[in-house]
Amino acid sequence: DTEVTQTPKHLVMGMTNKKSLKCEQHMGHRAMYWYKQKAKKPPELMFVYSYEKLSINESVPSRFSPECPNSSLLNLHLHALQPEDSALYLCASSQDSRGGGSDTQYFGPGTRLTVL
Amino acid sequence: GQQVMQIPQYQHVQEGEDFTTYCNSSTTLSNIQWYKQRPGGHPVFLIQLVKSGEVKKQKRLTFQFGEAKKNSSLHITATQTTDVGTYFCAGPDEDTDKLIFGTGTRLQVFP
């Protein structure tokens, strides 16, 4: 199974809402990632979890809060977002335990987020 | 910081024509990876090149890693409408090993 799943596919939220994005992989990968992608731009790394511990935080605002409950699951908690946070949020996983630059990354289908 | 640039930014071709995208890194890379993202889709891994001067083929796609390991290219022979999408190269940051994506080349194929 080389699939990474993400829910929900689409999310519309107001600036005062709290919501969560979910990601799951069953490939036994030890590194999981959150990326943000704006239209016509490459994915931008937000967070890296290695062996369920946060190893990289790319100076992401605190309104984004990641969580890794176990080796297969990754959540991204959202609170008090701004309209400019509207984007495609991609989850990925890889076997590598560092930043993932040496290993293939498997991406989920993404959550398309709109902040009103 | 490390930068990975791709040219062209956008190209449209007639079906059957060839297509090439070029990837240039500001630093030497230990490896280069290529991903394809269809419109409305997510990045999908295509290939990884590791050795200096390496050339790999996948059907109509030919990937090359430069001798200095700072550049790479993807060539598609006889494009088809199924080749439509954005092609990203990506390489690891030499200090943190984070995967740095190139700026991408968007390919449009007209039938």
Side-chain angles (χ1 to χ4, degrees):
Chain A
D1 183 5
T2 57
E3 190 181 46
V4 176
T5 58
Q6 287 187 246
T7 55
K9 283 194 168 72
H10 300 274
L11 179 61
V12 179
M13 59 187 290
M15 289 190 282
T16 58
N17 292 159
K18 283 185 182 181
K19 296 286 183 183
S20 297
L21 310 185
K22 296 186 184 304
C23 173
E24 191 167 5
Q25 58 90 10
H26 293 290
M27 295 178 276
H29 288 172
R30 307 314 307 211
M32 295 185 76
Y33 313 81
W34 281 114
Y35 287 87
K36 173 183 177 180
Q37 188 178 30
K38 290 278 208 181
K40 301 183 181 178
K41 296 291 185 185
E44 294 174 45
L45 185 65
M46 299 174 71
F47 302 104
V48 180
Y49 271 84
S50 174
Y51 287 89
E52 302 164 45
K53 286 187 168 30
L54 184 64
S55 60
I56 296 177
N57 175 342
E58 289 291 279
S59 302
V60 179
S62 59
R63 57 186 185 267
F64 295 91
S65 174
E67 178 196 17
C68 189
N70 61 55
S71 60
S72 301
L73 293 173
L74 188 65
N75 298 322
L76 186 63
H77 303 296
L78 314 173
H79 174 55
L81 294 193
Q82 306 295 310
E84 58 265 27
D85 296 321
S86 299
L88 179 67
Y89 288 84
L90 294 160
C91 173
S93 70
S94 75
Q95 286 187 330
D96 191 74
S97 61
R98 291 184 63 205
S102 302
D103 262 11
T104 300
Q105 293 202 8
Y106 293 87
F107 284 83
T111 294
R112 197 159 295 279
L113 174 68
T114 303
V115 182
L116 301 176
Chain B
Q2 181 177 338
Q3 290 187 318
V4 182
M5 306 296 290
Q6 285 181 250
I7 53 169
Q9 190 174 358
Y10 173 74
Q11 185 156 10
H12 64 263
V13 299
Q14 204 73 34
E15 191 173 21
E17 291 181 338
D18 291 356
F19 159 77
T20 304
T21 171
Y22 299 92
C23 172
N24 293 287
S25 170
S26 57
T27 60
T28 302
L29 299 169
S30 60
N31 74 80
I32 190 87
Q33 299 174 35
W34 284 91
Y35 291 80
K36 175 184 178 181
Q37 186 171 18
R38 293 181 187 272
H42 58 280
V44 174
F45 174 77
L46 293 177
I47 208 157
Q48 182 183 58
L49 304 170
V50 178
K51 297 177 186 173
S52 167
E54 189 170 12
V55 177
K56 285 189 177 180
K57 293 191 177 186
Q58 286 180 351
K59 298 183 181 177
R60 295 178 293 104
L61 277 60
T62 301
F63 303 84
Q64 189 163 9
F65 200 7
E67 293 291 341
K69 300 183 79 173
K70 293 181 73 173
N71 56 71
S72 181
S73 64
L74 158 58
H75 179 82
I76 302 179
T77 304
T79 54
Q80 299 175 359
T81 53
T82 52
D83 296 324
V84 164
T86 301
Y87 293 85
F88 292 103
C89 63
D93 179 277
E94 57 185 350
D95 295 323
T96 64
D97 200 40
K98 291 183 300 185
L99 194 61
I100 307 296
F101 279 83
T103 47
T105 295
R106 193 152 58 99
L107 172 65
Q108 181 64 263
V109 180
F110 295 106

